[in-house]
Amino acid sequence: MSGSLFVVGLGPGSPGALTPDAAAAVEAADALYGYGPYLARVPERPGQARHASDNREEGARAVAALRHAADGAHVALLSGGDPGVFAMAAAVCEQIESGVEAWRSLDITVVPGVTAMLAVAARVGAPLGHDFCAISLSDNLKPWDVVERRLDGAASGGFVIALYNPISRARPWQLGAALERLRRHLPASTPTIFGRAVGRADENVIVTSLGAADPTSADMATLIIVGSAFTRVIDRPGLMPLVYTPRSVAGGSS
Ligand code: SAH
């Protein structure tokens, strides 16, 4: 019997943002693997095994899922958002590249999901309406000076920047340092969005400016979008402001 591995993105949190393809892959699996809170989002099904693991054990989780699939099972490995954005799909590829030959013949399907920056952007309009990039502030897997170089390059290159993994108990100062770094390149008035737990019951979205952005208002469920010099805010009485980055830059076509 030949097994399969589906690496599935569950979206930001609301059931409506789970794609039908992702729901089908989860339903069809013999076994689910994932970080505990992601597993908790999908209903228990009779006969479907659940293997929860700690957030930091990505390599070990990928290996366990690959071994199980190689034994002939239909396995789904769950990620929040999109599995290819700072998540399990790359961890699976790393293990296949360095692992046993048999894993290269496995049937692997990556099922995309709505990543956090798209969910946060949609809440306020279209801040990612023109060129943008995504940077993880976690320095667990890369040195901090690489993060700084990328922040400098992104801000000076005129990209809107989505910051993933802004802060955690083990990484308390990185977001403050990153915002300071961006202030070297961008005016204090640059529109800045803090989107926390978007799509979940405790969602909170704040529109502020780079000058006023307070790193203590973020936690590990927060994604931050820092605008470019072209990003604009439209205030609306009694409503969330609209933030957008126009599709053409002043003085030229895009
Ligand atoms: N694969 C995920 C990202 C994993 S990294 C995705 O595509 O969204 C984890 C980071 O994603 C968090 O620290 C936070 O910055 C962001 N994030 C994940 N879900 C979020 C949500 N519902 N609201 C806001 N940010 C979220």
Side-chain angles (χ1 to χ4, degrees), residues 9-14 38 41 55 58 79-88 113-120 135-138 162-168 171 194-200 202-205 219-224:
L10 298 178
S14 61
Y38 298 146
R41 284 201 214 160
N55 202 14
E58 292 192 341
S79 274
D82 181 273
V85 179
F86 308 123
M88 289 308 299
V114 177
T115 188
M117 69 177 172
L118 301 185
V120 171
I135 299 177
S136 169
L137 291 189
S138 171
L163 298 174
Y164 283 77
N165 292 311
I167 210 157
S168 75
R171 297 181 294 102
F194 282 59
R196 176 175 190 284
V198 166
R200 303 181 209 150
D202 49 347
E203 169 175 331
N204 187 30
V205 179
D219 63 9
M220 57 190 287
T222 306
L223 178 121
I224 294 127

Side-chain angles (χ1 to χ4, degrees), residues 2 9 29 34 50 54 119 152 155 170 225:
S2 67
R50 298 162 77 94
D54 188 270
D152 289 345
I225 297 176

